[in-house]
Amino acid sequence: MTKSMTEGKPLPLILQFAVPLLIGNLLQQTYNIIDAAIVGRILGADALAGVGASSSVQFLVLGFCIGVCCGFGIPIARSFGAQDYDKMRSDIFHGMALTGIFAVVLTVLCALLCPQILQILSTPDDIYENAYRYLFIIFLGIPFNLLYNLMSGIFRSVGDSRTPFMFLAFATVLNIGLDLFFIVVLHLGVAGAAAATVMAQALSGILCFIYMRKKMPVLHLGREDCRWSGDTVKLMLSMGLPMGLQYSITAIGSMVMQSANNGLGSVYVSGFTAGARIKQFAMCPFDALATGTSVFCSQNLGAGKMERIKTGIKQGTAVGILYGLFAGLVIIFFGRTLSLLFVSGENGAILDASARYLRCMGFFFWSLGILNVCRMCTQGLGFSVRVVFAGLLEMAARCVVSLFFVPVFGFTAICFADQSAWLSACIYIVPTCMHCVKLCADKLKNYDV
């Protein structure tokens, strides 16, 4: 089930790797859309606003989990590309141990601080109770989120993007079924939606772990692989923590933006929530393409093939821009129609807000093709710390728009906050990525000498 990306044409390899990731991401976002549709249609607009009111802080915490696990996968991919399987298994052991520590610390802290987090977000009183119930249960599921993302990161590092997809597909179907059962049959409200998400994610992560143990001998850990090494811990943390922080720093800007939007009232909270769901769905190809290009770069760096890395980055970025132009046109012209998935036609004000948010975003959607690919490739080459600055720029841009422009221009400013963040980060990450490629090439030349 493993796949080396160090031989063959770069773009077909990247796309072949990215397709299962894309389908898996689309399935996950399809669930998110169905989840929001069930909540909005059955429980009402206030319940939808309650679920969406904390989406930025969920991105902060769960994004940190995803980033850390992706970072742990970089040394694994590099060792796999170099065919150093003993080192690869040692990296896997340390990744698992560190993930367990993060799971305990994050779950306890987030669960205890849940009320304070919602207060910081200026959550309106009429949706506070729903927001608290949903967020608290999501926080309790952090260990399962970490488990699935770690297993997925390990599989992807060795070139296998199909296995995580299969379990995610099964879990997505289960998630939808549990959603309907908990909300429609048991009448558990938004708490049922959160519980369904946590249970499905837990099953997906556990199945991935069992499959790895039974079906992938190259990933089996023996006693000799489970020896604690301070140097390996430093390596894993140097990759994982900056990537986790990059996600979280970006999310801080989103939290400030969401707090400003929450202060505009529940109509704009619901409109923003519906628009954000569509945005996340449309962003799936960016994430899959960037991940595929990043793994390609990591494996080829381990194999010492810099020309392949340069070609992969150029081709991956070109495909990202083309998709961004196409997706931007779709959400510009069909944003309001797509918003009907979450909000009934009777809520005209909410639909108008969602359509305006998507229309403004569509004109700049192409920039995500550049940002995501260059950012992930910089991480894949081992320069995770440098990527943190891209996250800082995104945070700063969203904060400036939210704090200084929203009070003057209201929801219109919210509609341009994301775009300002994307363009600011692009200005930094493109030359940074090119410089990091050059540094790697120079290092390999010196090593050969």
Side-chain angles (χ1 to χ4, degrees):
M1 297 298 292
T2 60
K3 173 72 173 178
S4 174
M5 303 174 76
T6 59
E7 299 290 341
K9 294 182 179 180
L11 187 57
L13 285 171
I14 292 170
L15 295 179
Q16 183 182 18
F17 182 90
V19 166
L21 287 178
L22 172 59
I23 298 174
N25 289 342
L26 290 174
L27 280 173
Q28 183 64 44
Q29 293 305 323
T30 298
Y31 159 71
N32 289 337
I33 288 176
I34 294 174
D35 176 60
I38 292 172
V39 171
R41 291 282 187 169
I42 297 177
L43 300 179
D46 285 346
L48 178 63
V51 170
S54 61
S55 60
S56 61
V57 76
Q58 291 178 54
F59 177 55
L60 185 150
V61 176
L62 302 183
F64 178 81
C65 297
I66 294 170
V68 167
C69 293
C70 287
F72 289 165
I74 292 173
I76 298 171
R78 195 179 303 170
S79 298
F80 179 78
Q83 299 183 3
D84 187 350
Y85 301 126
D86 291 335
K87 179 65 169 61
M88 179 192 70
R89 285 187 285 267
S90 176
D91 292 339
I92 292 173
F93 163 72
H94 286 84
M96 289 180 173
L98 292 170
T99 299
I101 295 172
F102 281 122
V104 173
V105 174
L106 286 173
T107 302
V108 172
L109 284 178
C110 291
L112 291 176
L113 296 176
C114 190
Q116 289 78 10
I117 290 171
L118 290 173
Q119 290 175 7
I120 291 173
L121 290 174
S122 302
T123 306
D125 292 338
D126 57 340
I127 61 175
Y128 179 88
E129 191 62 32
N130 280 331
Y132 176 79
R133 290 175 182 173
Y134 187 85
L135 186 60
F136 182 76
I137 295 173
I138 291 295
F139 281 159
L140 293 182
I142 286 175
F144 303 117
N145 182 283
L146 279 165
L147 175 62
Y148 173 74
N149 282 293
L150 178 65
M151 292 297 103
S152 297
I154 292 171
F155 286 131
R156 289 195 297 265
S157 296
V158 298
D160 179 10
S161 58
R162 296 180 183 179
T163 298
F165 157 70
M166 290 189 296
F167 292 123
L168 179 61
F170 173 73
T172 300
V173 175
L174 176 64
N175 206 337
I176 295 170
L178 290 174
D179 244 351
L180 293 171
F181 179 70
F182 288 152
I183 293 175
V184 178
V185 179
L186 299 184
H187 305 289
L188 295 179
V190 295
T197 298
V198 171
M199 291 178 65
Q201 199 163 54
L203 179 61
S204 184
I206 292 170
L207 289 175
C208 278
F209 180 76
I210 293 173
Y211 185 89
M212 185 183 78
R213 293 278 299 174
K214 291 184 176 296
K215 299 293 184 179
M216 303 188 75
V218 72
L219 302 180
H220 286 185
L221 302 183
R223 288 186 178 181
E224 66 279 5
D225 301 313
C226 301
R227 297 172 181 172
W228 194 254
S229 168
D231 290 338
T232 305
V233 170
K234 291 178 183 178
L235 173 64
M236 300 298 284
L237 291 178
S238 70
M239 294 292 105
L241 282 178
M243 286 188 69
L245 290 173
Q246 189 271 324
Y247 277 86
S248 294
I249 289 170
T250 302
I252 291 173
S254 297
M255 287 178 64
V256 174
M257 183 177 75
Q258 182 149 36
S259 178
N261 188 61
N262 287 351
L264 299 176
S266 58
V267 168
Y268 290 114
V269 175
S270 296
F272 178 82
T273 301
R277 298 285 187 179
I278 296 169
K279 177 188 74 173
Q280 290 164 1
F281 190 89
M283 287 173 61
C284 287
F286 291 129
D287 296 333
L289 179 65
T291 301
T293 310
S294 175
V295 172
F296 175 87
C297 290
S298 295
Q299 288 195 12
N300 280 280
L301 181 62
K305 299 182 177 182
M306 290 307 304
E307 289 303 317
R308 288 178 59 79
I309 291 175
K310 295 176 184 178
T311 302
I313 293 175
K314 291 178 182 178
Q315 294 179 348
T317 302
V319 173
I321 293 173
L322 289 174
Y323 166 73
L325 292 171
F326 168 76
L329 291 174
V330 172
I331 60 178
I332 287 171
F333 290 106
F334 301 101
R336 196 177 197 279
T337 302
L338 292 171
S339 300
L340 287 168
L341 290 168
F342 314 107
V343 183
S344 65
E346 300 172 355
N347 297 296
I350 295 175
L351 289 171
D352 290 341
S354 178
R356 194 190 339 167
Y357 173 72
L358 292 169
R359 184 168 57 252
C360 294
M361 182 183 303
F363 290 103
F364 298 89
F365 215 59
W366 55 268
S367 62
L368 279 173
I370 301 172
L371 175 59
N372 282 20
V373 173
C374 290
R375 177 166 54 196
M376 288 294 291
C377 288
T378 303
Q379 292 169 340
L381 293 173
F383 295 90
S384 296
V385 175
R386 295 176 186 246
V387 177
V388 173
F389 290 101
L392 287 171
L393 285 171
E394 287 194 66
M395 179 188 72
R398 288 191 175 95
C399 288
V400 168
V401 172
S402 301
L403 296 176
F404 296 102
F405 291 93
V406 172
V408 179
F409 299 102
F411 189 69
T412 299
I414 293 291
C415 294
F416 286 95
D418 282 330
Q419 298 90 306
S420 65
W422 300 340
L423 294 176
S424 298
C426 278
I427 292 171
Y428 165 78
I429 199 62
V430 172
T432 298
C433 182
M434 295 170 61
H435 181 63
C436 291
V437 171
K438 185 178 183 300
L439 289 176
C440 289
D442 292 343
K443 185 176 180 180
L444 287 174
K445 287 180 182 178
N446 293 334
Y447 180 79
D448 291 338
V449 172

